[in-house]
Amino acid sequence: MKNLKMISLVTAIAGALTVHTNLSHAQDMSNGAANFYKSDKVTVKKVTFNSQYNIKVAGNLFIPKEVSKDSKIPAIIVGHPMGAVKEQSSNLYATKLAEQGFVTLAIDLPFWGESEGKPRNTVGPDIYAEAFSAAVDYLGSQNFVDKNRIGVLGICGSGSFAISAAKIDPRMKAIATVSMYDMGAASRNGLKKGLSLEQRKELIKAAVEQREIEFAGGKTKYTGGTVHKISESSTAIEREFYDFYRTPRGEFTPKNSSRDLTTHPTLSSNTKFMNFYPFNDIETISPRPMMFVTGESAHSREFSEDAYKRAAEPKELVIIPGAGHVDLYDRVGLIPFEKIALFFKTNLK
């Protein structure tokens, strides 16, 4: 039990945490929170395609209505926060960028949402990264997309998965991240390196013990993600994620899941992140441009700053005044959509 409590704590620190309670909580809709924003300027189509691992990846394809059938326009892949699904933050970004003239594709990572992969909610960073390359395959096959002008945008944990993919996939011509988490560093070290080596070893021990239980036919267990109540002792980070994921502001439960399981990675797979080093060799992405967007008060800011420091030119670090981590999921009054669109317009010429 001690190990399980520690894992829940660490996953919360790592940013995969959301918090759960009843929907009577008055969510904070300030700064234009609009996770479920829709546009009459954009056509949306559900699509699926296979990854190299033969896992079917699901996505929402957004096409500007003014695009003619013989057009060849640039495209952007959008990845959702870790533990979320495409309907949470990704669709919003994809819609807003499609309004700017891009074809956009918001994907569900394997094991999450409408994408295939079992056990559900499995952690597999290499498989996640492959989904971005598979999305490039799919977009490049569409006759209205210019296959030489495809970019990628990763939100929260997907920022690190997109970088991992871009290092070995030069077809991704421009890479942007928003409120990025380095899921490897967060899992190994916690925020601001607050996790000790002994605590890390305890987490690993708990995961392999659960792995043996499941191998013998035992029940799958989950970790981190949402706690089921908040109280006066709940942390600011818990409250921040709760306000998005467990109120009508951003809550979404896929058909193949339940409110009890959304956002929870499996306990036996969660330590896979400890072998994930997305920023190693990040400089090899150059000369393709990178942009890192983070909030001034975001608890995840350290990861964008670390990536920016390691990356080679051309690169840009954008710090949004007054914004926290989750603010940049859906608060259109804070998200710099015009700057993000300009980054892609400039670099996907």
Side-chain angles (χ1 to χ4, degrees):
M1 182 62 69
K2 178 181 178 182
N3 288 339
L4 295 181
K5 287 181 178 179
M6 186 179 298
I7 290 174
S8 293
L9 172 63
V10 171
T11 307
I13 291 173
L17 170 112
T18 55
V19 189
H20 171 99
T21 187
N22 65 66
L23 294 180
S24 64
H25 176 84
Q27 71 273 24
D28 181 1
M29 299 296 288
S30 63
N31 286 304
N35 178 69
F36 298 106
Y37 172 79
K38 290 180 173 58
S39 174
D40 59 7
K41 301 176 183 178
V42 174
T43 299
V44 187
K45 177 184 177 183
K46 283 188 173 293
V47 301
T48 60
F49 47 90
N50 285 332
S51 73
Q52 268 194 338
Y53 301 122
N54 205 30
I55 295 175
K56 194 173 295 296
V57 178
N60 288 334
L61 184 68
F62 298 79
I63 306 171
K65 285 187 176 179
E66 68 272 16
V67 172
S68 62
K69 292 184 178 180
D70 58 352
S71 296
K72 287 286 188 180
I73 63 176
I76 303 168
I77 302 154
V78 183
H80 58 72
M82 178 59 203
V85 291
K86 62 185 179 300
E87 288 79 8
Q88 294 166 311
S89 191
S90 299
N91 276 358
L92 170 61
Y93 275 79
T95 301
K96 288 288 188 178
L97 290 170
E99 287 181 334
Q100 296 294 315
F102 298 97
V103 170
T104 58
L105 176 60
I107 63 172
D108 277 329
L109 296 176
F111 310 107
W112 299 88
E114 295 180 299
S115 288
E116 290 182 347
K118 292 183 179 180
R120 303 305 294 167
N121 300 16
T122 292
V123 169
D126 286 346
I127 299 174
Y128 297 165
E130 158 59 22
F132 285 92
S133 286
V136 177
D137 294 337
Y138 172 79
L139 286 171
S141 72
Q142 304 305 300
N143 57 14
F144 50 86
V145 171
D146 185 339
K147 65 184 297 182
N148 295 311
R149 293 193 291 162
I150 296 176
V152 60
L153 186 152
I155 305 163
C156 186
S158 277
S160 58
F161 311 142
I163 287 172
S164 180
K167 288 191 298 185
I168 57 172
D169 193 336
R171 299 175 301 169
M172 299 176 191
K173 303 299 185 183
I175 299 92
T177 69
V178 176
S179 287
M180 179 169 56
Y181 255 89
D182 174 347
M183 293 306 301
S187 298
R188 287 186 298 274
N189 306 318
L191 285 176
K192 298 181 180 178
K193 297 182 170 57
L195 183 70
S196 71
L197 178 58
E198 286 306 312
Q199 288 175 313
R200 186 195 305 178
K201 289 181 178 179
E202 285 293 314
L203 297 174
I204 293 170
K205 179 181 177 184
V208 297
E209 288 173 352
Q210 179 59 28
R211 180 183 180 124
E212 291 181 349
I213 291 171
E214 292 172 10
F215 180 79
K219 185 178 179 181
T220 300
K221 287 190 176 181
Y222 302 85
T223 188
T226 50
V227 298
H228 292 268
K229 291 182 180 179
I230 56 172
S231 67
E232 292 182 0
S233 62
S234 298
T235 68
I237 295 176
E238 287 176 330
R239 293 175 185 278
E240 180 183 7
F241 281 101
Y242 158 74
D243 189 72
F244 178 79
Y245 283 104
R246 290 309 181 198
T247 76
R249 174 183 161 194
E251 182 172 24
F252 185 88
T253 302
K255 291 181 181 179
N256 60 1
S257 187
S258 70
R259 292 185 73 235
D260 290 334
L261 293 183
T262 55
T263 78
H264 292 276
T266 62
L267 173 59
S268 60
S269 72
N270 199 41
T271 50
K272 294 287 195 300
F273 279 136
M274 293 187 184
N275 275 344
F276 182 48
Y277 293 84
F279 297 170
N280 284 7
D281 299 324
I282 191 174
E283 70 278 4
T284 63
I285 292 175
S286 177
R288 288 173 288 154
M290 303 190 73
M291 181 170 73
F292 310 97
V293 180
T294 187
E296 178 184 29
S297 58
H299 61 265
S300 58
R301 177 173 167 174
E302 62 180 288
F303 303 117
S304 292
E305 292 178 332
D306 183 29
Y308 175 76
K309 181 179 178 181
R310 297 191 195 196
E313 296 288 352
K315 60 183 179 179
E316 183 177 4
L317 177 64
V318 180
I319 298 176
I320 307 303
H325 176 85
V326 178
D327 287 333
L328 298 182
Y329 283 12
D330 70 333
R331 297 194 188 282
V332 297
L334 291 172
I335 298 169
F337 286 115
E338 290 185 5
K339 189 171 186 65
I340 293 170
L342 180 60
F343 168 79
F344 285 114
K345 287 178 180 178
T346 301
N347 295 298
L348 296 178
K349 289 182 179 179

